[in-house]
Amino acid sequence: MQEISSLKGNRKSSDNISISYNTFFLVSLCYLVLPAIIMVLGWIKLLIALPASALLIFALVSALKNEQSLSSDRKIELTKTQFAAIIIFSLVSTIIAGVGEIVAPMYDHAFRRAMLRDLVNYNWPIYYDLSKQSNPIVNAMLPDCTVAYSYYSTFWMIPALLGKLMGFNFANIFLVIWSAFGTFLILIGITFFTKKFTHASLFMFICYSGLDVLPYFYYMFKGTEPWMWLEGWTEHISYISNINNLLNVFNQCIPCWLIVILLMTSKSNKHIGLVGGILFTYSPWATIGVLPIAIYALLSKEKGIKGVLSVANIVSALTILGCFAPMYMANSSATSVSGTTLSFYKSISALLFAYILVMLIEIVPSVLLLYKSYGRDKLLWVAVGTLMILPFYKISNFNDLTMRGAMPAQFALCVMLMAVIGRFFDTNIDKKTGRITCKLSIKLIGSVIILIAMAFVAFQQILLVGYKTKNRAQADVTEEIGSFGDIRVEDYAETVNGNFFVYDYEDQFFYRYMARR
């Protein structure tokens, strides 16, 4: 994959912090794989879980050895100020995202908080006796039977495990630390790609989006509301900005983005099965979107066809699929609304109109900004092609396939854009005066306008978080669920029932043959 080789590293100094790629790769892969192993051991019979865990550890060790042999000389240099800036930014962005509910979070965090509490308080795997719902309205809505809990919960495994020892509050605090550390690793990985720390990485990490501001102002001047929300201006096709992914599905986007940056920076293809496949444990829909990038990485990195067919690739992919696919398939409610996107539109012309608008608003701006630097890089077109194909099928009411499936490709574009902006500042800004040394042009002004327009979504969402936090006493929803086993407010019961409960679980393959008793 093309990297920005023109970005010169910082001058080496005894005050600088040096980070080797091997260390980054080791910590990142352990960060991703360890929670999956804990979930396998906690939810699956030991007869299956022990050998499965051993295979994942084997693949992990093999990956570390493969990368070490190719990346022993790769390092980045950060000043202490830059290192501190990355740590502070990681923590602040995690808090703004609502993790730990330190600020007023988005609606979905009510479910996330209840999930963490149940993962701490219940034995694994989790079962609920619905007859014990104390809210009479909820009790009347749900049948008197026992159901199993099913959801991609890997991201919470380590905080929840520690919470079993030290309580829910500690688990919630550690969830903040765990999430911020994941963001920290992502930003370090981005620095390996760009070859130099740049504040553009911090800016784009929060502000990357499409030009959703255009339909927003269209609806505002028209005096009507979009179908769903700012980024939901098309009824069946929605691409989501970085900030909204953080605000709503931090548990999916943090591991997803870390995996993408590993695929973009790793030199060996002998462990792509593990690096790409581990995303399935965090987000099945994002895994669909990462497949093209993983396949490209398999075919473009060193080691050739021997790397593609490595034991680690095959073992890790089969182990992850064998353990987690039956677990997810037990709960089919998430795919109860699905089909070709055309079937949800009244006509082909209506679909094409929506599709072309989405491409112009969400993808074309990034391509325009990246074409000069990355037009010959196949990764750009793999990402663009993925984003162009995803809208033709819909899964779930809000279409999780486009919202979550697009995360890998969108973040690949985001990282490349970080590098382009960083290179511009490195070569065209006078470091003493801060003035632009190149001539202003229509292209440059247009690029700045596009970047400012992209940032609109983040600006609005951060204002919304601030407003909700200021008025939190009047509208604090974080404890309205409490536990899926005893839902406090009936408004959440239908969503919990449709997304997290497995009825007749004894008839499902996972719970009959694989789940611990």
Side-chain angles (χ1 to χ4, degrees), residues 1-2 296 300 374-384:
M1 296 180 187
Q2 181 176 336
Y296 170 70
S300 64
Y374 287 95
R376 296 183 179 181
D377 192 330
K378 294 178 182 178
L379 176 61
L380 172 64
W381 303 112
V382 169
V384 170

Side-chain angles (χ1 to χ4, degrees), residues 109-140:
H109 280 260
F111 301 94
R112 310 282 180 253
R113 189 174 177 89
M115 287 166 54
L116 179 60
R117 174 174 281 108
D118 288 351
L119 287 168
V120 169
N121 293 336
Y122 283 77
N123 294 327
W124 299 344
I126 297 173
Y127 300 93
Y128 300 112
D129 182 354
L130 298 184
S131 66
K132 294 183 178 180
Q133 296 283 339
S134 60
N135 183 327
I137 299 177
V138 175
N139 192 279

Side-chain angles (χ1 to χ4, degrees), residues 74 143 192 248 282 286 303 319 357 365 371 458 461 486:
R74 298 171 69 188
F192 273 103
N248 293 284
Y282 292 93
K303 298 297 184 182
T319 302
L357 278 181
Y371 184 78
Q461 291 302 100
D486 189 8

